Structures are given as C-alpha cells and as structure tokens.
Amino acid sequence: MTARGLIEAWAALVALSMGTAALTMLDVSGSTRTVIAAGVLALAGLKSRVILARYLRLNQSRFWTRLFDVVLAIFLGIAFAAYLLGIQE
Amino acid sequence: MSDSDERPWRQDNLGVFGELPGDLMMWVLIASELLVFGAALIAFLAVRATDPAGFSADQAMLDRTAGALNTAVLVTSGLCAGLAVVHREREERSMARRWLFAAGFLGIVFLVVKSFEYAQKAELGIGVETSAFFTFYYLTTGFHALHVVAGIVILGVVAWADSVRNMEAAVAFWHMVDLIWVLLFPIIYLLR
C-alpha cells in the first residue's frame, strides 16, 4: 500500500461517514425510516470494505476479499432483518 | 536484507492462507473479534425487536455527534497507523514512529470523547443496569474502548520494537479496532 492509496482510502471513509451523517439527519417518519436504515447499514458495509481492502491490504487476495464480502453481506442482511422485526411491533 | 527476507512467516505452502497480507495469527484474531462483536450486535438488534419503543427512547439519549466525531478520529488514526508502516517499509524509522504516535494520540482523543459520553450518562443516573439497551451500549462500547486502550499500548510497544513484522501486526490490530467501530456505531447509535 502506498501513502497515496492510504490517503484515498481515508478520503473514501470520510465521504462515506458524511453520507451516513446526512442520511441520519433526514426525517425518519413513515416508510423512509426503513430505507434510511438500509442506507445506513449499506454505508457501514462500504466503510468496512474500504478498511479491509485498503487499510488491511486484503485487496491483495481476490479469494479473501470475496470471502469477507460475503460474510459482511450476510452479517448486514441478518442485522437488517432483525431491525425490520423491531419496527413491525 | 530484502523485504521478503524479513518476512519468513509468509510461506508458500500455506495455500490460500498464504495470500493473507501480514501475519496469519493476526487474521485469526481479527476474524474472532469480528465474530464476537457481530454476535453481540445481532443480539442487540434481536432484543431491540422485543421492545422497540424502549430502545428508541434510550437511543435518543445517546450523543450521536460524539459518536460521529469518534468515527472521524478513528479512521484518521487508521490513516496515521497505515502511514507508519509505509515509512517503516522504506526504512524511515523516525517518521514511522511519529505516525505511530499520531495514531496513538488520536486513540487517546477517542477515549476522551468516549469518557465524556459516559460521564454525561452517569450524571443522568444511567448505568449498565438501567435498561437492556444501556446494558448492550455499555458492554459493546466498553469492550471496544478496552480494545482501543490495548491498541494504544501495542502501538507504543512497536514504536520501540519496530521491526516491519511487529509494526504490521500492531497496525492490523489497530485497523481491526477501527473496523469494529464502523459497524458498531451505526447499529447502536443510528438505526432508529
């Protein structure tokens, strides 16, 4: 990993964090609440992917990048399903 | 000594595990920690489903700004730690140490912000046993904060014992702490 690559990863993380902040400032009433929650989790997944691939240099291996992508997607899918259970009460 | 000579633990006969960057045991630790925190966060969301109104009311008492600030602090700290490895690999040991200290300093900033959050809750009489939400809040964020403390100590140690291998392993631990936070923060603080 080069210094430039790390700085690009950091910029991506800051941008994604700002995106998360913008999403959470939106009105959460009604059906938009579920969409916002999905967006927040998706952005968390993207941030995790940047840290794994760029900071932790996992992008050196296609196999491990894909495996962590799958595990992360399963985790976020379960988290979203559990979240949906909570708002159906 | 070439870069590859310094890394005898990278063996070709490890198969697909040999493709992992850095120390294999660090990846075992990273996977283990992700599983522990992942299980805790899923448990949090499952328990939330039994009392969404109570969890929502408790969550509204959290300081989201402090949490967002700490996200910025940790990802910037991760950048500093990564730059330390880059400089160490170029044999620029003094610069590598400076970046490690910068990363550790930002780790301390994270803990200061977190301690303000805890102090605010304590002033309101909120503790671990106040509600299920705050039990999860304190256990997950407290356990994460302990990892930050451990990470700061480890960064300090490798600033002294600064082989490329040591520094890579310590910085990988630090990135893991960062990774856990970017998953923990939105689930505990932001999902409404």
Side-chain angles (χ1 to χ4, degrees):
Chain A
M1 174 66 72
T2 62
R4 182 176 175 171
L6 285 168
I7 292 166
E8 286 172 356
W10 171 80
L13 288 168
V14 170
L16 290 167
S17 298
M18 289 170 73
T20 303
L23 263 184
T24 56
M25 280 186 235
L26 298 173
D27 179 21
V28 293
S29 61
S31 59
T32 55
R33 187 175 157 192
T34 309
V35 177
I36 290 169
V40 166
L41 287 175
L43 287 170
L46 288 173
K47 281 185 273 186
S48 303
R49 197 175 188 285
V50 170
I51 291 170
L52 282 164
R54 309 293 291 277
Y55 277 4
L56 281 162
R57 308 183 189 196
L58 205 62
N59 56 359
Q60 293 175 13
S61 165
R62 181 176 289 183
F63 172 82
W64 289 105
T65 301
R66 284 183 178 172
L67 184 66
F68 271 86
D69 281 349
V70 169
V71 172
L72 205 54
I74 291 171
F75 168 75
L76 292 170
I78 294 171
F80 188 60
Y83 167 81
L84 289 178
L85 284 176
I87 62 168
Q88 285 170 356
E89 286 274 323
Chain B
M1 183 179 281
S2 73
D3 199 40
S4 58
D5 291 337
E6 263 196 35
R7 301 174 185 184
W9 69 96
R10 286 185 179 171
Q11 296 172 12
D12 292 336
N13 60 5
L14 286 175
V16 75
F17 292 104
E19 293 180 20
L20 283 167
D23 201 323
L24 175 60
M25 288 314 294
M26 184 51 66
W27 281 100
V28 172
L29 177 68
I30 289 170
S32 307
E33 296 280 0
L34 286 176
L35 286 173
V36 169
F37 276 96
L41 292 173
I42 295 295
F44 167 82
L45 288 168
V47 176
R48 175 184 176 277
T50 65
D51 179 21
F55 267 56
S56 182
D58 287 344
Q59 190 191 46
M61 300 174 82
L62 297 185
D63 189 340
R64 292 173 165 213
T65 306
L69 173 65
N70 263 348
T71 303
V73 167
L74 267 195
V75 299
T76 305
S77 177
L79 169 65
C80 296
L83 289 172
V85 174
V86 169
H87 283 284
R88 181 61 187 87
E89 286 173 340
R90 291 181 196 159
E91 296 293 335
E92 298 165 356
R93 297 171 72 169
S94 176
M95 278 300 288
R97 283 198 186 100
R98 286 180 198 173
W99 283 115
L100 277 185
F101 287 133
F105 172 76
L106 288 172
I108 292 169
V109 171
F110 177 93
L111 292 173
V112 169
V113 173
K114 181 57 64 188
S115 63
F116 274 118
E117 271 194 78
Y118 286 161
Q120 285 173 346
K121 302 290 166 295
E123 280 179 15
L124 296 170
I126 296 169
V128 175
E129 296 181 355
T130 300
S131 65
F133 175 88
F134 281 109
T135 301
F136 275 106
Y137 166 76
Y138 279 112
L139 287 180
T140 53
T141 61
F143 193 41
H144 177 264
L146 285 176
H147 281 74
V148 175
V149 172
I152 292 167
V153 172
I154 292 167
L155 290 177
V157 169
V158 300
W160 170 64
D162 67 340
S163 68
V164 173
R165 182 184 182 181
N166 286 348
M167 205 173 286
E168 274 189 343
V171 168
F173 181 90
W174 194 245
H175 291 321
M176 176 197 76
V177 171
D178 199 355
L179 176 59
I180 290 167
W181 180 254
V182 301
L183 291 170
L184 187 158
F185 171 61
I187 290 176
I188 300 286
Y189 286 70
L190 302 180
L191 281 189
R192 286 184 278 185

